[in-house]
Amino acid sequence: MIKTDILIIGAGPTGLFTVFEAGLLKLKCHLIDALPQPGGQCSEIYPKKPIYDIPGFPEILAGDLTKNLLEQGKQFEPGFTLGERAETIEKQEDGSFIVTTNKGTQHQAPVVAIAGGLGSFEPRKPVIEGITDLEDKGVEYIIKDPEFYRDKKVVISGGGDSALDWSIFLADVASEVTLIHRRNEFRGALDSVEKVRELTLLNKINLITPAEVKELHGEGKLEAVTVEKEGESTRIETDHFIPLFGLSPKLGPIGNWGLEIEKNAIKVDNTLNYQTNIPGIFAIGDVNTYPEKLKLILCGFHEATLMCQAAFRIINPGKKHVLKYTTVSGIDGFDGTRKEAPKAVVQAIK
């Protein structure tokens, strides 16, 4: 049994920042995430994409934001259960909650903060006969390790940023990259479209538009795909087929926890502290909804801050917390480290 003060479900930016805000209140955090590494969408889907609306950073890559948040919360020694999905929740007689993952790992905490972004993501799969039989046998929906495709033949299908960006990236990794889109127009960033066009002229990307992958071939593993363009079919030998048609967010098992749900999001009380209809369970970040809700990372940071204040009162009933500015009080980590401004040196003038 893993015990902590605040159990955070979701290790995206909002969940990671919660670690810092909770640490300032001397509260320990443990995070659960179905992904194999912290960072949520910022790490899994667009680590190389710039974000422009984080205060103090005119521009920061999503992956770098994750690294900074991990570093910011490091001295508060958060725990992580990664690669596991929060499955069930049970309220105990003492008011605490036990959350069990799909792999049976149990966690107990008096406060649960759901920071699961848009929920668990499921890939949008193309309708191709036999595609499920070849999943993880040459068919992948998310690229986790580019080196996995080193010196391999790769077919990517899609017309958005992910399809463009990974085609560009893998052009220097794979032995052969083919990009297929059912339209001539792409929905991605203009510079990415230009880069793909340039790499196509250099024969580093084989661009086929307007076209669609209609068939997959292979026994036990993918060997080739059939592409249809303007009524004509062509067979392309390949080691991997990666359809990048986006991800569909779903609340998953959390939707069965008795929480009040509205349009695939968790309703919270934004007039106070983003608590759900179940006392002790909060929802912060993109996973929640309330009047005038904005799904922005900076809004998630604000929600996390107020939620931690409410968590302190639940965990320490009757104990008053005096808000101190970090510029004055400094920061004491659970690992014994301390961050503070250098003391002023007073010297007499003689």
Side-chain angles (χ1 to χ4, degrees):
M1 181 76 72
I2 297 172
K3 294 186 178 182
T4 190
D5 294 320
I6 302 177
L7 181 62
I8 304 170
I9 300 173
T14 297
L16 294 176
F17 186 66
T18 303
V19 172
F20 176 78
E21 286 297 324
L24 294 179
L25 301 172
K26 310 300 181 189
L27 300 178
K28 288 277 288 183
C29 292
H30 190 95
L31 300 91
I32 301 174
D33 202 296
L35 297 176
Q37 73 282 319
Q41 293 182 66
C42 287
S43 294
E44 187 74 4
I45 303 176
Y46 49 85
K48 300 299 182 183
K49 282 293 184 182
I51 301 175
Y52 301 105
D53 59 358
I54 302 300
F57 291 94
E59 176 182 336
I60 185 169
L61 296 181
D64 290 341
L65 175 62
T66 294
K67 291 176 184 177
N68 289 352
L69 288 167
L70 284 166
E71 182 63 29
Q72 187 175 23
K74 183 179 178 181
Q75 68 183 131
F76 296 120
E77 302 180 318
F80 290 91
T81 299
L82 299 174
E84 300 184 30
R85 183 182 65 245
E87 197 79 14
T88 63
I89 189 168
E90 299 175 78
K91 190 164 187 176
Q92 306 303 295
E93 290 185 4
D94 64 357
S96 67
F97 300 91
I98 291 180
V99 174
T100 305
T101 71
N102 60 318
K103 294 185 179 179
T105 308
Q106 291 192 313
H107 311 73
Q108 185 172 15
V111 172
V112 174
I114 301 172
L118 295 173
S120 59
F121 288 89
E122 297 180 5
R124 294 191 178 99
K125 303 178 182 181
V127 181
I128 302 175
E129 185 177 352
I131 191 169
T132 56
D133 297 333
L134 291 171
E135 289 175 355
D136 298 322
K137 299 173 184 176
V139 174
E140 294 89 34
Y141 302 104
I142 294 176
I143 297 175
K144 296 182 179 180
D145 179 12
E147 282 300 313
F148 181 67
Y149 303 96
R150 173 70 64 180
D151 299 326
K152 302 290 181 64
K153 295 180 180 180
V154 177
V155 173
I156 294 176
S157 186
D161 283 316
S162 292
L164 291 165
D165 292 347
W166 280 119
S167 295
I168 294 167
F169 190 93
L170 292 180
D172 291 325
V173 176
S175 63
E176 182 180 299
V177 174
T178 300
L179 175 58
I180 298 168
H181 183 38
R182 61 183 178 178
R183 298 186 181 92
N184 290 318
E185 301 79 20
F186 287 84
R187 303 183 308 278
L190 181 59
D191 60 335
S192 297
V193 176
E194 292 297 328
K195 185 64 175 177
V196 166
R197 183 179 289 114
E198 177 186 327
L199 291 171
T200 300
L201 294 174
L202 294 172
N203 295 318
K204 298 192 73 175
I205 291 178
N206 178 26
L207 179 63
I208 306 177
T209 62
E212 289 186 73
V213 174
K214 290 294 188 179
E215 295 180 60
L216 305 179
H217 309 281
E219 293 294 332
K221 69 180 185 67
L222 182 68
E223 297 174 1
V225 300
T226 293
V227 178
E228 185 178 289
K229 177 181 178 179
E230 298 174 342
E232 294 187 8
S233 296
T234 305
R235 182 183 172 108
I236 299 176
E237 305 295 322
T238 189
D239 300 302
H240 297 278
F241 172 50
I242 311 170
L244 297 174
F245 296 155
L247 301 171
S248 298
K250 297 185 182 300
L251 280 177
I254 292 175
N256 301 319
W257 286 6
L259 301 168
E260 192 173 354
I261 307 296
E262 183 179 285
K263 295 181 180 178
N264 206 42
I266 302 170
K267 289 188 69 173
V268 295
D269 181 2
N270 66 308
T271 62
L272 290 174
N273 46 38
Y274 308 99
Q275 189 165 225
T276 69
N277 58 304
I278 300 178
I281 301 181
F282 298 79
I284 53 178
D286 288 355
V287 77
N288 75 16
T289 185
Y290 52 83
E292 307 300 328
K293 166 71 179 182
L294 293 177
K295 293 184 183 293
L296 296 173
I297 293 175
L298 64 91
C299 293
F301 291 166
H302 165 76
E303 294 164 10
T305 303
L306 295 188
M307 182 279 296
C308 285
Q309 298 290 322
F312 179 88
R313 293 190 290 272
I314 291 174
I315 296 169
N316 302 286
K319 186 176 180 180
K320 187 176 181 180
H321 170 68
V322 179
L323 177 65
K324 296 180 181 179
Y325 299 104
T326 56
T327 49
V328 177
S329 65
I331 301 172
D332 292 305
F334 298 156
D335 57 1
T337 60
R338 177 168 176 76
K339 294 177 182 176
E340 63 179 333
K343 295 287 191 288
V345 178
V346 180
Q347 294 181 336
I349 299 177
K350 297 180 181 179

